[in-house]
Amino acid sequence: MLPSTIAISAHGLTRKFGSLVAVNNVDLEVPTGRIYGFLGPNGSGKSTTIRMLCGLLLPSAGSATVLGKDTRKEAEALKQQIGYMTQRFSLFEDLTVKENLQFISEVYAVPRATRKTRVLELLSEFRLSDQIKQRAGTLSGGQRQRLALAAATLHKPKILLLDEPTSAVDPQSRRDFWETLFELADQGTTILVSTHYMDEAARCHSLAILDRGVKVADGTPRSLGENIDTTVIEVQAEDPNSARQSLAKEPEIFSITQLGIKLRVLIPKRIPDALQLVTANLQRASIKGVAAEVFPDLEDVFVAVTQLHTKQAA
Ligand SMILES: Nc1ncnc2c1ncn2[C@@H]1O[C@H](COP(=O)(O)OP(=O)(O)O)[C@@H](O)[C@H]1O
Ligand SMILES: [Mg+2]
């Protein structure tokens, strides 16, 4: 399915808190019916950006349009068309699963005639039928998260803005949650989801990488890997620790990460023969191992673009 339109766009979106620039001149284009990721560490501006896109927070500068509506001027109308879920979604702990959904359907002004059917539909869709009478406070992490997503989709929003929705759940629930996101996207829902998990970012159709409020890169996971100015060499050495120490002496190598027995070594593309640089270093130090150039994964991209951003900022 080709995206026919842009669901969310932002130009020069900026938010300051006193002297802190939490979101700095961010441009965005999110196609309809796609899953778009925000990847960034704590404090990089993910939540602040999402809150501006929801119309909950005013930008200090710049503008954003969601479903053709200006988030500053048409915030109220917009709220009916978007679903918002945060890591700390405030479910009513003392209400049962069903009561939570009933209450929220009133908040969203779901017509009385369809309310009951919609709640039952969601309970089954989000596999909560067995928990109907259970109080939300006693649910497992995965169940709470399903209830939170059910609540966010109650009014059938065209856009879902999900702020680190999986940070409090186990790996199996995270995987199930992503299956649900893909189903929703297949049905035409546009999903913007923030995360600090690389594996989740890799599942997005496209994503933006945020670092200290700045969008430092964006694109599909594939194009991000293709476009960084960095060669990635993977080293598998008998003694990874010595290999690491020896390679750390090369001034051109700007990052070495150990993953199990493997090292991922990042070298700027302007160095003509990165692989040769690595193998020669290991040979000189008499370290046994094999090295090969590999396609950058999102973690490599993340390290490469954020280090470059740090250097430019310095
Ligand atoms: N209401 C606020 N008042 C002051 N500073 C804030 C406020 N909200 C966020 N910040 C600051 O803005 C920066 C970005 O925060 P946030 O958007 O929450 O990042 P993330 O969601 O990526 O962790 C952080 O330095 C944070 O402390
Ligand atoms: Mg946040």
Side-chain angles (χ1 to χ4, degrees), residues 64-235:
T65 311
V66 177
L67 294 168
K69 291 194 167 63
D70 187 314
T71 56
R72 277 172 191 264
K73 297 177 192 141
E74 294 165 278
E76 282 313 310
L78 199 57
K79 278 175 197 151
Q80 290 296 326
Q81 292 186 40
I82 60 180
Y84 174 52
M85 171 180 167
T86 70
Q87 178 183 341
R88 287 181 223 94
F89 181 87
S90 45
L91 291 165
F92 299 94
E93 308 235 319
D94 293 332
L95 297 187
T96 66
V97 167
K98 195 173 175 186
E99 286 164 348
N100 263 282
L101 291 179
Q102 278 166 341
F103 180 75
I104 293 159
S105 69
E106 288 167 32
V107 172
Y108 278 130
V110 174
R112 195 176 286 273
T114 52
R115 226 177 260 170
K116 214 172 170 181
T117 333
R118 181 67 183 140
V119 167
L120 289 175
E121 199 175 87
L122 285 167
L123 287 168
S124 127
E125 195 177 322
F126 288 87
R127 291 176 290 114
L128 289 164
S129 302
D130 293 342
Q131 283 80 32
I132 288 183
K133 290 189 181 147
Q134 200 173 325
R135 284 194 291 141
T138 64
L139 296 173
S140 72
Q143 290 166 341
R144 291 168 75 96
Q145 181 210 39
R146 293 209 298 278
L147 179 56
L149 187 62
T153 56
L154 224 153
H155 55 309
K156 302 191 177 174
K158 295 194 179 90
I159 295 194
L160 279 174
L161 296 147
L162 311 174
D163 193 3
E164 300 205 29
T166 60
S167 47
V169 298
D170 61 274
Q172 182 60 45
S173 299
R174 278 177 57 200
R175 239 167 306 172
D176 293 345
F177 185 81
W178 273 83
E179 290 309 313
T180 311
L181 294 191
F182 280 110
E183 283 162 23
L184 287 164
D186 282 344
Q187 292 158 21
T189 311
T190 305
I191 300 173
L192 191 147
V193 55
S194 71
T195 182
H196 56 257
Y197 294 115
M198 299 291 167
D199 62 324
E200 291 192 343
R203 303 186 72 171
C204 296
H205 294 113
S206 54
L207 67 144
I209 298 179
L210 298 180
D211 186 30
R212 285 162 291 164
V214 176
K215 187 182 81 175
V216 287
D218 64 3
T220 63
R222 179 86 201 168
S223 71
L224 283 164
E226 277 161 359
N227 293 334
I228 53 167
D229 287 332
T230 302
T231 307
V232 182
I233 307 293
E234 194 173 74
V235 175

Side-chain angles (χ1 to χ4, degrees), residues 225-276:
E226 277 161 359
N227 293 334
I228 53 167
D229 287 332
T230 302
T231 307
V232 182
I233 307 293
E234 194 173 74
V235 175
Q236 203 170 340
E238 278 177 18
D239 178 358
N241 217 10
S242 313
R244 186 191 184 110
Q245 280 168 16
S246 175
L247 290 167
K249 292 181 194 129
E250 299 287 345
E252 306 291 5
I253 295 177
F254 69 91
S255 167
I256 306 171
T257 312
Q258 184 164 354
L259 293 166
I261 55 162
K262 289 179 182 164
L263 301 177
R264 285 184 94 88
V265 179
L266 306 192
I267 302 170
K269 274 235 169 87
R270 60 181 163 74
I271 305 301
D273 201 342
L275 183 56
Q276 170 64 20

Side-chain angles (χ1 to χ4, degrees), residues 15-18 20-23 39-51 57 87 163-164 194 196 210 212-213:
R15 175 66 202 211
K16 295 178 187 165
F17 294 109
L20 176 86
V21 188
V23 176
L39 175 66
N42 276 340
S44 56
K46 303 182 297 294
S47 297
T48 306
T49 307
I50 290 176
R51 287 168 63 208
L57 188 71
Q87 178 183 341
D163 193 3
E164 300 205 29
S194 71
H196 56 257
L210 298 180
R212 285 162 291 164

Side-chain angles (χ1 to χ4, degrees), residues 27-63:
D27 292 334
L28 285 175
E29 276 203 345
V30 179
T32 303
R34 293 299 168 103
I35 303 182
Y36 190 93
F38 276 170
L39 175 66
N42 276 340
S44 56
K46 303 182 297 294
S47 297
T48 306
T49 307
I50 290 176
R51 287 168 63 208
M52 286 192 282
L53 295 175
C54 289
L56 293 170
L57 188 71
L58 282 175
S60 310
S63 62

